[in-house]
DNA sequence: CAAGATTGAGTCATCAATCTTA
DNA sequence: TAAGATTGATGACTCAATCTTG
């Protein structure tokens, strides 16, 4: 029997799964008094970057945040001394966000809750094959968008 | 060679792909002067429901919206006469949202833009196998959350 | 005058409190 | 007194305008 593929099946599944899982994980982090997904996301990218710093621009590209949103979140993190702003020595227009020691500590503290949440509310329900298909397939979607990303978002 | 699976690879791909694709599609709908994703989502579910109506509660469960958000969106749709509120004959506490003829027309008008957007910004980058893995895998995530969903969200 | 970044003003979404009926 | 739904107040997010440097 030839099975016809629902043209919006994958899309709707993405929307719903995202909504449900994010909500559940955020809720759990809040109850455990752990930093939010947005903060975690930013700290994670900064920590993984060379010299543990990124231009605001590049941070927005890697993180799940718009460029203006990155400014706000970095300001919040700066207020809490988890991140510091540094002038870019190579380009006076640019600002670098750099994770602090306290930021790395916050990241380490949050990590187990975060990993547990992802597993409990997401990974647990996926086979290894499905996880791989999701990672590889969606990475292509991400690459395409990052490539022809309108300079301003 | 045994390949180790990145425990958050699929999750991060989901977050990023969602963010990028939703942004791009919303943008396109806006420029084409077509109803938003939220409106489309609600109208689609109502149109597919028996008698083309759903309790607010059930609508929130099917759509990508919180229960309070559904109230707001239905009010918007009602103002634009795309949806009407009807008292539930079986339960005086409940409200039914029912799609109107104008609502169905709006849905038909929006559909090609919507389908095109999903294809251009999402499906296009996925193989059939990947689409199936995403649909099936994420559906399990959705089912799990819908099952043990806390009555109030 | 374009690129990088920030910010004021406004919109969108959520939470807690409220109202109504079972 | 609990379930269904709505709403007032608040916080999160975005857009357009602005500032600064290349």
């Amino acid at each position: 029997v030839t099975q016809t593929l629902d043209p919006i099946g994958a899309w709707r599944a993405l929307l719903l799964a995202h909504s449900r899982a994010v909500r559940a994980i955020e809720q759990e982090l809040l109850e455990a008094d752990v930093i939010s997904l947005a903060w975690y996301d930013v700290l994670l990218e900064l920590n993984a970057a060379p010299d543990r710093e990124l231009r605001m621009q590049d941070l927005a590209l890697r993180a799940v945040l718009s460029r203006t949103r990155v400014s706000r979140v970095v300001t919040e993190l700066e207020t809490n001394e988890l991140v510091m702003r540094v002038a870019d020595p190579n380009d006076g227009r640019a600002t670098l966000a750099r994770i602090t020691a306290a930021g790395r500590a916050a990241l380490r503290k949050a990590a187990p809750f975060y990993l547990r949440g992802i597993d409990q509310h997401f990974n647990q329900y996926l086979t290894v094959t499905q996880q791989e298909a999701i990672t590889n397939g969606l990475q292509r979607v991400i690459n395409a968008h990052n490539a022809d990303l309108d300079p301003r978002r």
Side-chain angles (χ1 to χ4, degrees), chain A:
Chain A
V1 183
T2 302
Q3 179 81 20
T4 305
L5 186 66
D6 176 358
I8 65 170
W11 174 249
R12 288 196 61 76
L14 181 86
L15 290 185
L16 277 168
H18 175 270
S19 161
R20 298 292 188 269
V22 165
R23 222 177 273 273
I25 293 175
E26 285 272 29
Q27 186 59 36
E28 223 173 66
L29 295 179
L30 186 67
E31 283 166 12
D33 196 28
V34 176
I35 57 174
S36 70
L37 277 180
W39 283 24
Y40 191 86
D41 193 26
V42 166
L43 293 180
L44 196 67
E45 290 301 337
L46 290 179
N47 197 48
D51 297 329
R52 309 192 190 289
E53 65 188 13
L54 282 173
R55 300 192 327 163
M56 300 298 283
Q57 180 100 335
D58 297 328
L59 183 52
L61 203 67
R62 284 176 176 71
V64 190
L65 303 169
S66 71
R67 225 157 44 165
T68 55
R69 186 73 194 121
V70 164
S71 273
R72 311 278 187 191
V73 172
V74 166
T75 300
E76 291 170 24
L77 289 165
E78 209 179 11
T79 303
N80 287 269
E81 303 189 344
L82 304 181
V83 157
M84 59 189 296
R85 278 185 164 92
V86 184
D88 183 339
N90 303 318
D91 186 340
R93 295 170 303 180
T95 306
L96 300 172
R98 180 186 297 160
I99 190 171
T100 65
R104 301 189 64 197
L107 199 53
R108 274 194 303 276
K109 175 168 176 266
F113 294 93
Y114 189 77
L115 291 172
R116 184 174 169 284
I118 293 172
D119 189 60
Q120 288 283 311
H121 298 294
F122 187 72
N123 280 343
Q124 171 189 10
Y125 303 107
L126 305 170
T127 66
V128 170
T129 308
Q130 283 171 341
Q131 285 187 45
E132 284 170 352
I134 288 171
T135 306
N136 297 333
L138 296 186
Q139 191 59 55
R140 292 193 56 206
V141 174
I142 296 161
N143 290 343
H145 281 102
N146 281 353
D148 62 23
L149 206 56
D150 186 25
R152 66 210 129 272
R153 270 181 304 153

